[in-house]
Amino acid sequence: MILDWLLPILISAALLLAVAGMLKRISLWRAGQPEKVNFFSGLMAMPRRYLVDLHHVVERDKYMSKTHVATAGGFVLSMVLILAVHLFGIENRWLSYALLGALVLMFVGSFFVWKRRRNPPSRLSKGPWMRLPKSLLMFAVSFFIATLPAAGILPEAFGGWVLAVLLAAGIVWGLGELVFGMAWGGPMKHAFAGALHLAFHRRPERFGGGRSTGLKPVDLNAAKLGVEKPTDFKWNQLLGFDACVQCGKCEAMCPAFAAGQPLNPKKLIQDMVVGLAGGSDAKFAGSPYPGRDVGFAVGGPNKSITEGLVSPDTLWSCTTCRACVEECPMMIEHVDAIVDMRRFLTLEKGNTPNKGAEVLENLIATDNPSGFNPGSRMNWAADQNLRVMKDVKEVDVLFWVSDGAFDMRSQRILRAFVKVLKAAKVDFAVLGDEERDSGDVARRLGDDATFQSLAKRNIAALSQYKFNRIVTTDPHAFHCLKNEYPDLYPAGQKPAYEVLHHTTFINELVKAELLNLSEFKGGTVTYHDPCYLGRYNGEYDSPRELLKELGIELAEMERSGFRSRCCGGGGGAPITDIPGERRIADMRMEEVRAVGAELVAVGCQQCTAMLEGVVEPRAEVKDIAELVAEALVEEVSPAPAKSREQSKVAKKPLAEEVS
Amino acid sequence: MQPDKQNASLRITALVSVGKHPGSGRARRAEQDARAVEMAMTLAPEGLEVLHAGDPQADSLRAYAGMGLKRLRVLQQGTNADAVPALSQYLKQQKPDIILTGVRAESGESSGMTPYLLGEALGLPVVTRIAEIVSIDHGEANLLQALPRGQRRALRVPLPFVASVDMAAAAPRQSAFGPASRADLESQDIGMAVMDEVKAAWSEAPARKRPKRLKVVKAKTAADRFKAATAKSSGDGGKVLRDKPASEMAQAVFDLLLEEGVLR
């Protein structure tokens, strides 16, 4: 029979071509910058990362996780058995039965892939991805029939040459898509690149339930700062771009995309793929950047990205909310890539749009983004009688005030928090004028030089004093202090303190029964998770527990917890202010309205500012510190008799109307 | 960028100083000097020289370089030296077509005298507070001079000349860290040091805000307010006293001060 000799040839040809393609692909990644990874332990950890960590993300969509397990599991298993049965010709009936079983499994999975693809949601890419389920089915069916004789179910010469030719055609198609296509940039590329991406991920801390969200510092002495060309990315970043399955989960979550700003995380990653491989985006079959046409982006490994491949507006639309990263089943790091490219624009080109340049200049000259006199940092607390570290030197809790000190709305949050701290008799102090902007905005705008300068000076100020914990009301400062400052400590030194967000801290105080709280009286309340508290630091529970403690039954929004939608205020987005069709804050307030909330509880001054910027009528916006401060029951100590009498006297009107 | 304005053979020298942030008092790129550099970069990206007389180690000079300059020339001298003799000696040799300065420095004496003293030393015309160099043809430059309330005066000046750049000129481009840290600060020893005796005689103290008379808004409508904001300042309140006995003129000044509440 023809297939007996044709099948091994086809399989070995496909495998050989695949190996050649893989080597070529690897050379494309190797054009990136060197980055140290632990090859061996990465490869060893890969199966677990794939089967556990990746599966956890995919499992948020049960339908797809089951489908993927069946299809991918069936394929890998059948491929191994195909090699045994058809290439090496091991004649074992049980092996053939196992192969048939694996192919059935793959068929079932592929059938559901196909079913989903009949009416695909807009986030999914079309084009070759529409062909994939058919190819999967073709692979499973052709090999199933071709294996039947080996399993002894059908006679050797069954069907004659007509069937043999048909089967050969099906097998060529199947192998072409699944083996050849995997190495030569077809949709199956995600399996090959994805597996290696998981092995050599730039943030291995993310696997096994960990978290790694701090941006990597720039070497300021490098010949080029930031990423100009695709080859300026680290090699494993390039590999990460290739792992994209174009599932569009990121697109469905991206606030900038929803607001009609010219950003689509999926398209951005695909443009990076176009950049690393060279060519144009004409074959991209997904949603475009809102308002931009597909087909005109041209790039190459050594071509400047922002000249022809990706518009700078796309990069500046990002709020760095990490919704895409959180959602990505392949654990691609979109935000890292965007900030890397922003770094080049800011540090090398001096091209930060709109108010960016002004804000950065202010940060350099005055250590705060608005250019206020740094000596007026404590003016907000003129009536608060706060202790300053310079005087006390040693304290339990250092209250990191943040730049909210300069903003009148944020000052209300700060005062509320001070009231809570005083009520719980916490031993705390502030840095006063020694505090500087945390550097968050500078870093997200790509100015790592200014970030590092601010961070180093803040670290120097912190190192002078003794304290156990830093508590801050600003999740952005919280993130910087907790996750990004440790990289910038002088060699051999480590921060000797814990960093807490005020919601976590107040929750502790409440649990320790240091605060006497009354019940909240008011209408429906919902809670908006700040990105830098939730996705960046995994703190979803403390704010909710605290609100529950106040007697608030939360009406949760559809997008909440790790799927919370950004307020639009992160990543310097309000500063670069890229126009869109809607405002992100308006969309968020729409979601608040949808649950009928009269009050949104927040844990971030930036979110407060953004949500309060939505035109009325809208829900009231209050920080959790404000809610707690309002609910505080001040212990009334029995007043001395004399003062009581005085108060009686005072009740007499001092002036009466003379009729 | 307006490439049509560029002039290949034009040579411009922009003088820069170390600025001072009004809020923090920190050294920075001076706002007017940065505008002068911006104007020169737009006009003559090739024939541009940025010049500073003072300490070549001053970090804030790098902020000018970060605008995209490959080099910046520093005439090395001490902090107490007078910049004008060094600058005029150097500029006499170089003979640039246009010398741009800020209106006044943000630190030091901040007298605003540099352009005038240079003009005197080099024998060049001085144009103050320019907002734009519109065009240069046949050895003459068409300038726009900035006047109060957004008004402009068109001027024609033969090259070479000295001009001070007003805050009304195009805002300077962003300074980028990478080029700033890599730029070449060419330090040059000019072999002369003229002590700035005027400066030495001065004592510096932080400036206090001048008392300002409260403005009573009389305008009732938006149109009135717009008119008030855009109208030419009419000096109708003034009175010219001439050829009168000194005591009478002094009395008039005294009366005015009483009326304004300056004297009590």
Side-chain angles (χ1 to χ4, degrees):
Chain A
M1 192 176 147
I2 315 167
L3 281 182
D4 283 342
W5 55 266
L6 187 58
L7 216 49
I9 293 176
L10 285 178
I11 294 170
S12 12
L15 284 176
L16 279 175
L17 286 171
V19 169
M22 285 174 179
L23 290 175
K24 182 166 177 261
R25 208 76 203 171
I26 289 170
S27 76
L28 289 178
W29 303 329
R30 280 170 52 92
Q33 301 300 307
E35 164 102 332
K36 262 198 186 147
V37 290
N38 196 328
F39 272 89
F40 185 70
S41 72
L43 283 174
M44 292 304 288
M46 191 255 280
R48 196 189 145 75
R49 290 175 182 178
Y50 178 80
L51 295 171
V52 179
D53 297 288
L54 182 140
H55 186 71
H56 275 322
V57 183
V58 182
E59 210 176 10
R60 292 171 189 165
D61 181 350
K62 289 273 188 313
Y63 178 103
M64 212 49 228
S65 79
K66 285 180 184 137
T67 306
H68 191 257
V69 167
T71 319
F75 169 64
V76 172
L77 199 57
S78 35
M79 201 58 219
V80 172
L81 294 168
I82 282 170
L83 295 186
V85 175
H86 293 296
L87 187 62
F88 300 118
I90 299 172
E91 288 185 17
N92 179 323
R93 179 163 293 201
W94 296 111
L95 217 53
S96 305
Y97 274 124
L99 174 55
L100 290 177
L103 287 165
V104 169
L105 182 67
M106 181 181 170
F107 180 86
V108 173
S110 312
F111 173 75
F112 283 103
V113 179
W114 170 80
K115 207 175 142 206
R116 164 160 288 202
R117 280 277 165 183
R118 282 204 309 168
N119 249 328
S122 68
R123 62 178 171 84
L124 289 175
S125 289
K126 317 291 183 302
W129 295 87
M130 296 305 278
R131 189 186 68 215
L132 182 61
K134 292 169 202 153
S135 312
L136 290 165
L137 289 171
M138 187 57 77
F139 180 92
V141 170
S142 322
F143 271 106
F144 186 84
I145 300 173
T147 308
L148 288 177
I153 296 171
L154 284 180
E156 279 293 315
F158 177 79
W161 65 270
V162 180
L163 183 67
V165 167
L166 281 178
L167 278 183
I171 283 166
V172 167
W173 178 354
L175 284 173
E177 183 79 277
L178 286 151
V179 180
F180 176 80
M182 185 185 282
W184 290 92
M188 280 308 290
K189 182 187 69 182
H190 79 270
F192 158 59
L196 294 178
H197 165 60
L198 289 178
F200 308 132
H201 201 282
R202 206 162 163 233
R203 295 176 180 275
E205 306 87 353
R206 282 187 68 192
F207 301 105
R211 197 174 291 280
S212 165
T213 52
L215 293 173
K216 311 267 182 200
V218 170
D219 172 14
L220 295 176
N221 297 317
K224 189 198 280 177
L225 307 174
V227 167
E228 179 193 16
K229 303 163 183 168
T231 48
D232 295 334
F233 281 112
K234 305 286 182 208
W235 72 270
N236 49 358
Q237 282 180 293
L238 294 179
L239 164 59
F241 301 145
D242 249 352
C244 177
V245 259
Q246 302 196 31
C247 66
K249 291 264 166 88
C250 50
E251 171 187 321
M253 281 296 152
C254 178
F257 180 80
Q261 288 174 281
L263 170 63
N264 174 355
K266 179 174 93 174
K267 171 83 164 63
L268 181 79
I269 296 300
Q270 284 315 305
D271 282 350
M272 295 298 108
V273 173
V274 166
L276 80 96
S280 92
D281 70 338
K283 284 188 192 137
F284 178 70
S287 318
Y289 297 128
R292 311 276 160 107
D293 292 327
V294 169
F296 302 100
V298 185
N302 284 308
K303 281 189 198 154
S304 175
I305 293 171
T306 48
E307 287 163 22
L309 186 57
V310 176
S311 141
D313 280 359
T314 297
L315 303 177
W316 295 113
S317 294
C318 177
T319 66
T320 67
C321 74
R322 257 184 106 78
C324 48
V325 184
E326 185 73 37
E327 211 59 41
C328 181
M330 292 312 262
M331 311 217 161
I332 297 170
E333 296 283 344
H334 311 66
V335 176
D336 281 357
I338 289 175
V339 174
D340 280 341
M341 290 184 276
R342 284 185 179 184
R343 283 170 171 171
F344 179 77
L345 292 177
T346 294
L347 292 174
E348 293 290 354
K349 289 275 159 200
N351 243 337
T352 323
N354 286 325
K355 291 281 171 189
E358 191 184 318
V359 166
L360 294 175
E361 214 164 285
N362 284 335
L363 280 169
I364 293 168
T366 63
D367 302 334
N368 68 75
S370 312
F372 291 110
N373 182 350
S376 64
R377 192 172 270 277
M378 282 297 282
N379 287 7
W380 71 276
D383 57 346
Q384 298 290 313
N385 205 13
L386 297 185
R387 296 192 299 160
V388 181
M389 282 312 269
K390 210 194 287 178
D391 305 329
V392 293
K393 309 281 184 205
E394 195 172 342
V395 83
D396 178 32
V397 170
L398 170 66
F399 170 29
W400 185 273
V401 176
S402 83
D403 286 333
F406 294 108
D407 173 62
M408 290 172 89
R409 175 64 184 93
S410 308
Q411 288 168 8
R412 275 162 44 202
I413 302 173
L414 297 175
R415 285 203 192 89
F417 184 55
V418 167
K419 190 178 166 194
V420 174
L421 287 173
K422 284 182 175 169
K425 299 192 176 61
V426 176
D427 172 29
F428 77 99
V430 294
L431 273 179
D433 289 344
E434 286 183 281
E435 187 183 309
R436 291 165 186 89
D437 178 272
S438 62
D440 167 70
V441 170
R443 182 161 240 200
R444 304 322 125 178
L445 287 178
D447 191 349
D448 225 46
T450 302
F451 167 76
Q452 290 186 19
S453 147
L454 287 166
K456 282 178 182 157
R457 283 178 289 147
N458 274 326
I459 288 170
L462 291 172
S463 308
Q464 302 170 65
Y465 308 116
K466 267 186 151 173
F467 50 89
N468 301 320
R469 331 165 98 179
I470 299 181
V471 179
T472 178
T473 52
D474 176 10
H476 295 263
F478 170 53
H479 168 68
C480 287
L481 286 164
K482 186 181 170 197
N483 304 320
E484 298 187 340
Y485 276 24
D487 289 339
L488 295 166
Y489 260 75
Q493 285 186 43
K494 266 187 180 170
Y497 48 80
E498 190 186 1
V499 191
L500 295 176
H501 186 243
H502 71 304
T503 53
T504 317
F505 186 69
I506 300 178
N507 193 31
E508 274 183 25
L509 295 179
V510 170
K511 279 189 179 156
E513 293 180 355
L514 289 166
L515 291 171
N516 196 358
L517 299 178
S518 63
E519 288 274 297
F520 172 81
K521 287 177 213 72
T524 319
V525 181
T526 190
Y527 172 64
H528 164 79
D529 288 271
C531 310
Y532 277 73
L533 183 61
R535 279 186 292 269
Y536 274 81
N537 287 291
E539 180 60 287
Y540 304 109
D541 298 335
S542 283
R544 288 185 167 79
E545 282 173 27
L546 200 48
L547 290 168
K548 204 172 173 194
E549 207 63 46
L550 290 171
I552 293 172
E553 198 63 46
L554 279 186
E556 290 281 6
M557 286 182 273
E558 192 194 329
R559 293 171 188 266
S560 67
F562 74 89
R563 280 199 167 134
S564 170
R565 169 164 277 167
C566 180
C567 66
I575 296 161
T576 54
D577 200 21
I578 303 299
E581 287 155 31
R582 289 166 288 278
R583 290 181 66 250
I584 296 173
D586 289 351
M587 297 190 306
R588 188 59 173 160
M589 206 36 110
E590 210 45 64
E591 293 171 2
V592 171
R593 207 163 285 149
V595 292
E598 289 156 48
L599 176 81
V600 206
V602 250
C604 170
Q605 60 211 24
Q606 190 73 25
C607 297
T608 312
M610 294 305 288
L611 294 175
E612 276 194 347
V614 177
V615 286
E616 305 241 21
R618 52 152 171 79
E620 212 183 334
V621 185
K622 273 188 184 166
D623 192 276
I624 291 183
E626 292 179 284
L627 291 172
V628 173
E630 279 168 22
L632 273 181
V633 181
E634 309 226 9
E635 287 186 19
V636 195
S637 50
K642 203 179 170 188
S643 68
R644 254 186 220 168
E645 233 161 69
Q646 271 180 344
S647 66
K648 257 181 210 167
V649 176
K651 265 179 195 165
K652 244 189 186 176
L654 291 170
E656 281 174 78
E657 196 180 19
V658 185
S659 54
Chain B
M1 287 281 252
Q2 287 152 301
D4 54 312
K5 270 207 223 165
Q6 288 180 7
N7 197 322
S9 61
L10 191 68
R11 287 171 59 242
I12 305 185
T13 299
L15 306 185
V16 296
S17 62
V18 174
K20 195 172 180 183
H21 192 275
S24 65
R26 233 174 262 175
R28 64 159 180 182
R29 169 175 83 155
E31 286 186 325
Q32 292 163 351
D33 297 356
R35 280 170 169 76
V37 175
E38 175 66 42
M39 190 180 279
M41 284 179 85
T42 320
L43 223 55
E46 297 306 316
L48 156 74
E49 180 167 63
V50 178
L51 184 64
H52 172 72
D55 178 14
Q57 303 299 323
D59 270 343
S60 47
L61 291 180
R62 297 238 168 237
Y64 294 102
M67 296 169 75
L69 304 174
K70 290 217 170 47
R71 71 189 69 79
L72 199 146
R73 187 173 298 278
V74 184
L75 308 178
Q76 191 175 354
Q77 56 178 15
T79 41
N80 291 323
D82 192 347
V84 173
L87 289 173
S88 52
Q89 188 204 37
Y90 178 80
L91 292 169
K92 251 178 214 162
Q93 295 162 2
Q94 296 292 317
K95 293 193 179 65
D97 297 320
I98 303 175
I99 299 166
L100 296 176
T101 73
V103 174
R104 62 171 74 233
E106 292 175 359
S107 57
E109 294 141 278
S110 195
S111 63
M113 285 300 285
T114 306
Y116 298 102
L117 293 172
L118 279 178
E120 188 186 32
L122 302 170
L124 299 179
V126 176
V127 196
T128 56
R129 294 190 173 272
I130 65 168
E132 198 183 336
I133 297 179
V134 183
S135 64
I136 291 164
D137 38 33
H138 310 298
E140 279 194 326
N142 290 308
L143 312 176
L144 286 182
Q145 192 179 31
L147 300 176
R149 290 167 191 265
Q151 296 175 84
R152 300 283 183 270
R153 179 189 285 147
L155 293 175
R156 237 178 130 66
V157 189
L159 298 179
F161 63 89
V162 180
S164 64
V165 178
D166 190 82
M167 281 297 283
R173 64 195 67 185
Q174 188 178 351
S175 175
F177 177 85
S181 53
R182 284 190 285 270
D184 199 3
L185 258 60
E186 278 176 27
S187 170
Q188 186 171 333
D189 196 5
I190 35 148
M192 62 184 289
V194 181
M195 268 290 288
D196 191 341
E197 275 155 30
V198 182
K199 189 182 175 185
W202 284 23
S203 65
E204 267 184 60
R208 266 205 320 225
K209 270 192 182 161
R210 285 188 208 156
K212 211 172 172 184
R213 203 189 313 177
L214 283 177
K215 212 170 166 186
V216 183
V217 181
K218 289 179 199 133
K220 287 277 186 290
T221 63
D224 286 345
R225 278 194 292 277
F226 181 75
K227 221 182 268 171
T230 52
K232 284 186 186 178
S233 59
S234 48
D236 53 77
K239 205 197 277 178
V240 182
L241 299 168
R242 200 181 286 155
D243 305 332
K244 290 197 174 146
S247 61
E248 205 175 298
M249 292 197 278
Q251 186 64 43
V253 173
F254 185 73
D255 289 346
L256 180 75
L257 292 177
L258 268 183
E259 196 185 311
E260 295 288 335
V262 179
L263 294 177
R264 257 172 248 175

